Amino acid sequence: MVSEDAKSQDKPGSTTHFGFQQVPVGEKRQRVAGVFDSVASKYDVMNDLMSFGVHRLWKRFVIDLAGVRAGEKVLDVAGGTGDLSREFSKQVGPRGLVVLSDINAAMLGEGRRRLADKGVVNLPIVQANAEMLPFAEESFDCITIGFGLRNVTDKDKALRSMCRALKPGGRLLVLEFSKPTSQTLSKIYDQYSFKLLPLMGRLVANDEASYRYLAESIRMHPDQQTLKSMMDAAGFGRTQVYNLTGGVVAVHRGFRIE
């Protein structure tokens, strides 16, 4: 399956979504960068507030599901402030490697600072676009992308890029907001997302617009089954979906099959 984002890339003057807005394809990256430049310093505080701390449990689930072992090589795409990278660095040990990457320099700056505060100073940090990862083919045993795929303009291209960078048999884990599995939860979630999130953004981060974009970008992201199909089309196999918190968040795990 090819997403609507990917189809639009092929047409001159094409547009894509930035939240609920349609913008020129070449403009989305700059707009997303502006959002994360704005929220970087308050990113972790807002994550705790928005999820009532549950985002830590979601990340813990990903860490456990990844099954990273000593000596492995791990790439944390859109790794932001380095939560996943820090935990993986403990698991791979001195013989392994963890690379933290993000397209946004401000987020990487926060990640570098927070990792140093925790005593993690030997972890490579790379500014990179998920659609064109600057790593050799078959470089990593495991790749993760946490709450980053929905901000990528061409998600199909990013999935192919991540598949290429994995060793045969290597696994990708995508942690992302998704679609609630019940109508009742969906209605409650909509009220929370479009009323409380922007308010929290204004009061805590002095940025209402970025958190309105967050709510909108979640609604525009592919649902669980669509993303599974996209991963399969990008070269992954044995793809599984794990719904967390009633489908508010989902984890997709797929393996490079070659």
Side-chain angles (χ1 to χ4, degrees):
M1 176 177 289
V2 179
S3 72
E4 292 304 315
D5 280 347
K7 292 176 183 176
S8 70
Q9 305 285 317
D10 300 328
K11 301 176 183 177
S14 60
T15 62
T16 188
H17 58 80
F18 174 78
F20 290 162
Q21 301 178 54
Q22 285 292 312
V23 300
V25 167
E27 188 178 308
K28 178 172 179 175
R29 190 182 306 166
Q30 287 73 27
R31 289 204 179 200
V32 170
V35 168
F36 285 94
D37 285 345
S38 175
V39 306
S41 64
K42 297 287 186 179
Y43 187 77
D44 283 346
V45 171
M46 284 297 295
N47 278 350
D48 278 328
L49 286 173
M50 289 186 302
S51 71
F52 306 103
V54 179
H55 76 100
R56 298 177 186 275
L57 299 179
W58 297 333
K59 291 172 183 174
R60 186 72 249 173
F61 182 87
V62 169
I63 291 162
D64 292 343
L65 189 64
V68 170
R69 299 181 295 276
E72 288 195 320
K73 295 181 178 179
V74 180
L75 174 63
D76 183 11
V77 178
T81 53
D83 286 350
L84 295 177
S85 293
R86 184 175 66 249
E87 295 302 315
F88 288 137
S89 70
K90 299 175 187 176
Q91 296 177 335
V92 301
R95 294 186 296 108
L97 173 71
V98 177
V99 178
L100 169 62
S101 76
D102 201 292
I103 196 171
N104 186 271
M107 291 296 293
L108 285 177
E110 284 294 312
R112 182 181 290 108
R113 181 177 66 81
R114 291 173 187 274
L115 288 170
D117 286 347
K118 298 288 186 179
V120 182
V121 294
N122 60 344
L123 191 152
I125 295 176
V126 178
Q127 187 170 4
N129 182 346
E131 297 176 17
M132 299 172 288
L133 292 172
F135 305 104
E137 185 169 354
E138 302 183 8
S139 292
F140 297 98
D141 299 285
C142 180
I143 297 178
T144 60
I145 179 167
F147 301 114
L149 187 60
R150 73 179 187 283
N151 296 310
V152 174
T153 302
D154 190 336
K155 297 172 181 61
D156 297 284
K157 188 175 180 181
L159 291 170
R160 292 193 300 270
S161 180
M162 289 185 277
C163 189
R164 181 193 63 81
L166 279 172
K167 299 175 183 179
R171 62 271 190 207
L172 168 69
L173 290 96
V174 180
L175 170 65
E176 190 54 88
F177 293 108
S178 201
K179 309 300 180 188
T181 54
S182 81
Q183 282 197 329
T184 300
L185 179 58
S186 184
K187 290 176 181 177
I188 295 170
Y189 187 46
D190 280 347
Q191 291 295 311
Y192 168 76
S193 298
F194 291 108
K195 292 186 177 179
L196 289 182
L197 280 189
L199 178 61
M200 280 191 265
R202 176 160 58 86
L203 295 177
V204 177
N206 195 31
D207 187 349
E208 182 176 343
S210 291
Y211 289 91
R212 184 177 299 110
Y213 162 74
L214 169 63
E216 294 176 357
S217 69
I218 292 169
R219 297 326 185 274
M220 300 301 292
H221 186 66
D223 64 19
Q224 288 92 325
Q225 188 56 47
T226 302
L227 181 54
K228 180 182 183 299
S229 298
M230 291 166 63
M231 288 178 64
D232 292 343
F236 294 95
R238 294 162 50 202
T239 305
Q240 297 169 292
V241 183
Y242 302 84
N243 284 315
L244 307 180
T245 316
V248 167
V249 162
V251 179
H252 288 65
R253 182 180 64 176
F255 295 81
R256 176 173 175 174
I257 305 299
E258 282 191 16

